[in-house]
Amino acid sequence: MSLPSVVTLIAETVTTAVTGQQFTAITGLTGVSVMTLEATFAGTGGSTAYVVIRSRLSSADTWREVARFDFSAAGAKWASLTSASAAVAAFSALSADSVLNGFFGSEYQAVLTSTGTWTSGLMTVKAHVR
Amino acid sequence: MDFWSDDGQGARQVSRFIAALDRSVDRYGQDVILRRTVGTANRVSIDCPCRASVRNYDPTQLAGTIQQGDSQVVLSPTDIDRVQWPGPEPIQSPPRATDPRIPRVTDVVVIGGRSRSVVASVPFVVNGELVRVELQVRG
């Protein structure tokens, strides 16, 4: 199957607090060398909301965090994941607004966490892959 | 041959159905956008660019919920699967019973730049696989 140009990793309303809500995975993204991520958040009244994008090599492997977007108010952020060579390193949980470059699995999943009660909250992450 | 064993013929038949529809919409169809909007006050659109067969209903078909000006849109699951539209949904237990790929009446199809509302959505499933979607659109 050919690579799609744009895939939606999450488009979810955010109201009451959620902790680590996992979403179904986008699968079959083999051969990706660059991934541009755009995260947008809208809403008022809450405290925080962040989404972690995870990837794994196959459905039998472990999810690894590759991008994290944090919001405390409405806004939009982007990040570009590239296949730049990197030294051997251990996996670790990502800190706020950070990425792990070079780890392109075949599956991607969003994990949503929010605190406080948001009015008209909406978290979206779309990916342009090539 | 064992009555209960189809020796993979069912899966091959499904592939043939989808491939035939793909060829048909590729040759005779047009580019459309299947669109779902998420959110209420704040909204985001999730688009699926796809090839589709679009035709007006024959006057003899204007009955029931089909009105003059409505169109029939035939979609293949291939483009929907390629972008994995409408995107992920929260993992829940038990999993949702309905196939999320099937357009809903709240979705729209953008045809030639014009947004047309989905009035009815009919999935065709063969051997447990979605092979074709027929939509009635209006507006």
Side-chain angles (χ1 to χ4, degrees), chain A residues 5-123:
Chain A
S5 56
V6 176
V7 291
T8 302
L9 297 174
I10 179 174
E12 183 70 7
T13 54
V14 181
T15 50
T16 56
V18 293
T19 302
Q21 170 66 63
Q22 297 180 25
F23 287 72
T24 54
I26 293 290
T27 61
L29 293 185
T30 54
V32 175
S33 56
V34 180
M35 177 178 286
T36 303
L37 295 166
E38 181 188 69
T40 59
F41 181 73
T44 56
S47 299
T48 64
Y50 70 86
V51 61
V52 174
I53 305 302
R54 312 194 300 182
S55 180
R56 64 183 177 186
L57 298 179
S58 74
S59 58
D61 295 308
T62 304
W63 287 112
R64 309 295 186 185
E65 297 184 0
V66 295
R68 174 174 162 169
F69 299 95
D70 289 62
F71 296 92
S72 55
K77 298 178 178 182
W78 71 279
S80 183
L81 305 181
T82 66
S83 55
S85 60
V88 172
F91 290 106
S92 60
L94 293 179
S95 55
D97 288 328
S98 61
V99 298
L100 170 67
N101 258 316
F103 186 82
F104 292 107
S106 67
E107 299 190 359
Y108 290 81
Q109 180 190 51
V111 181
L112 176 68
T113 297
S114 69
T115 58
T117 301
W118 290 93
T119 301
S120 303
L122 179 64
M123 178 72 83

Side-chain angles (χ1 to χ4, degrees), chain B residues 28 54 95 125:
Chain B
Y28 305 110
V54 182
V125 176

Side-chain angles (χ1 to χ4, degrees), chain B residues 32-46:
Chain B
V32 303
I33 298 172
L34 180 60
R35 175 171 292 163
R36 176 163 300 170
T37 301
V38 176
T40 49
N42 295 308
R43 296 173 164 211
V44 64
S45 294
I46 304 171

